Amino acid sequence: MFTIENYNDVSTPKKALFNWSSGKDSALALYKIVQNPDFEIECLVTSVNQEFQRVSMHGVRVDLLQAQAKSIGLPLKILQIPEMPTMEVYENVMTEALNELKDEGITHSVFGDIFLEDLRKYREDQLAKIGFQGVFPLWKIPTNQLIQEFITLGFKTIIVCVNERYLDKSFVGRIIDQNFINDLPDNVDVCGENGEFHTFTFDGPIFSEPIDFEVGEIVYRKYEKPKEQDSSNKSCDTDTNDAFDFGFWYCDLI
């Protein structure tokens, strides 16, 4: 029973933003963090390709991103990012956005990262510069366990981008289910944590209603390596020096 004696034991939730990619890891991480009484999610934050108005790396249209936010019931803050930004440009956009949110009392930034140590360190170092702390609800949970939990909870997600270094065209446009998992090559992480594929999540316990969409055309795209080597955008693969030697299959959702 709650009494005046234990009032001081009840801590005020920390205000946090959620870095929303539109995909499955974001969906599962959000599901977990909203159940944590230590945090209160104030908004979703998503970076969007300024030229094409699609979610960076995923290629998902902004109207579907907005439909997700509406169904989730959280405000959405869109960050407009040039198609091939340098690290300096990317970091400037993020810093400006976070400083604005900091003025609103937000102190924490939540991510769906699972096991990429260098990426986590980069995020934490950048956040520390402006007085934020990172939160990682999925950190170090085995990806085989995560994907089974994702499916069991009733989430539904479609593959919208695959890196041809790991997967061929036949995988893009597929729904993640047990058959999809069984068909993955041995060198591909089941959550695509190494940049093998990206997804769009359209149903599950965080949504008030499913996201309505149709599957459009499948297109191939190969990115040219930027003249400046410190680019932050390596499309589906952010971790390797030869990322620009490979192309990407995208499934357009309408």
Side-chain angles (χ1 to χ4, degrees):
M1 179 181 296
F2 182 84
T3 67
I4 191 67
E5 286 78 11
N6 61 23
Y7 174 81
N8 291 329
D9 294 334
V10 180
S11 60
T12 303
K14 306 173 185 69
K15 292 186 176 182
L17 66 91
F18 190 94
N19 294 275
W20 180 256
S21 72
S22 77
K24 59 175 178 45
D25 296 339
S26 279
L28 187 55
L30 180 59
Y31 171 82
K32 289 181 177 292
I33 198 68
V34 296
Q35 298 178 73
N36 187 334
D38 293 335
F39 298 97
E40 181 176 349
I41 304 301
E42 298 292 318
C43 65
L44 307 176
V45 176
T46 307
S47 61
V48 166
N49 183 307
Q50 191 172 30
E51 181 178 355
F52 297 104
Q53 289 302 293
R54 292 173 181 261
V55 177
S56 300
M57 296 189 294
H58 292 229
V60 172
R61 296 170 185 257
V62 166
D63 58 346
L64 290 177
L65 170 66
Q66 292 169 332
Q68 284 183 319
K70 181 179 179 181
S71 184
I72 291 169
L74 285 171
L76 172 67
K77 185 175 182 64
I78 293 177
L79 307 185
Q80 299 287 345
I81 306 290
E83 183 179 10
M84 299 296 285
T86 63
M87 287 296 289
E88 181 180 6
V89 169
Y90 177 80
E91 289 169 2
N92 286 341
V93 172
M94 292 298 298
T95 298
E96 182 179 354
L98 291 182
N99 277 325
E100 291 177 1
L101 293 170
K102 184 178 180 180
D103 291 340
E104 299 175 13
I106 295 176
T107 57
H108 289 68
S109 184
V110 186
F111 299 90
D113 300 321
I114 304 172
F115 60 66
L116 298 180
E117 299 277 1
D118 56 344
L119 181 57
R120 174 168 178 163
K121 184 179 187 308
Y122 168 77
R123 297 198 196 284
E124 292 179 326
D125 289 347
Q126 294 302 310
L127 290 171
K129 294 178 182 178
I130 50 180
F132 271 67
Q133 293 184 38
V135 183
F136 302 83
L138 307 184
W139 191 248
K140 293 299 184 180
I141 300 176
T143 51
N144 283 318
Q145 178 181 328
L146 286 175
I147 198 64
Q148 293 300 330
E149 180 181 7
F150 181 85
I151 294 172
T152 300
L153 285 169
F155 281 106
K156 295 180 181 178
T157 197
I158 184 171
I159 306 298
V160 291
C161 169
V162 300
N163 184 338
E164 70 171 353
R165 178 182 183 182
Y166 302 102
L167 296 169
D168 61 40
K169 179 182 178 181
S170 68
F171 283 89
V172 72
R174 289 183 62 176
I175 302 295
I176 289 188
D177 55 15
Q178 199 59 51
N179 288 332
F180 174 85
I181 295 169
N182 294 341
D183 289 343
L184 288 175
D186 292 339
N187 66 327
V188 172
D189 180 73
V190 292
C191 284
E193 180 71 350
N194 297 305
E196 299 98 328
F197 60 86
H198 289 298
T199 60
F200 173 76
T201 302
F202 57 90
D203 199 4
I206 61 173
F207 298 106
S208 62
E209 60 182 8
I211 310 304
D212 186 31
F213 69 92
E214 295 181 5
V215 176
E217 65 178 333
I218 294 176
V219 299
Y220 178 82
R221 187 174 185 189
K222 192 167 186 178
Y223 294 84
E224 292 184 8
K225 192 169 186 177
K227 295 179 181 179
E228 297 184 52
Q229 293 188 0
D230 62 339
S231 171
S232 66
N233 186 347
K234 293 185 177 62
S235 200
C236 280
D237 191 335
T238 60
D239 225 23
T240 59
N241 293 327
D242 57 354
F244 293 94
D245 294 338
F246 299 92
F248 305 88
W249 289 103
Y250 288 93
C251 177
D252 191 18
L253 304 182
I254 303 169

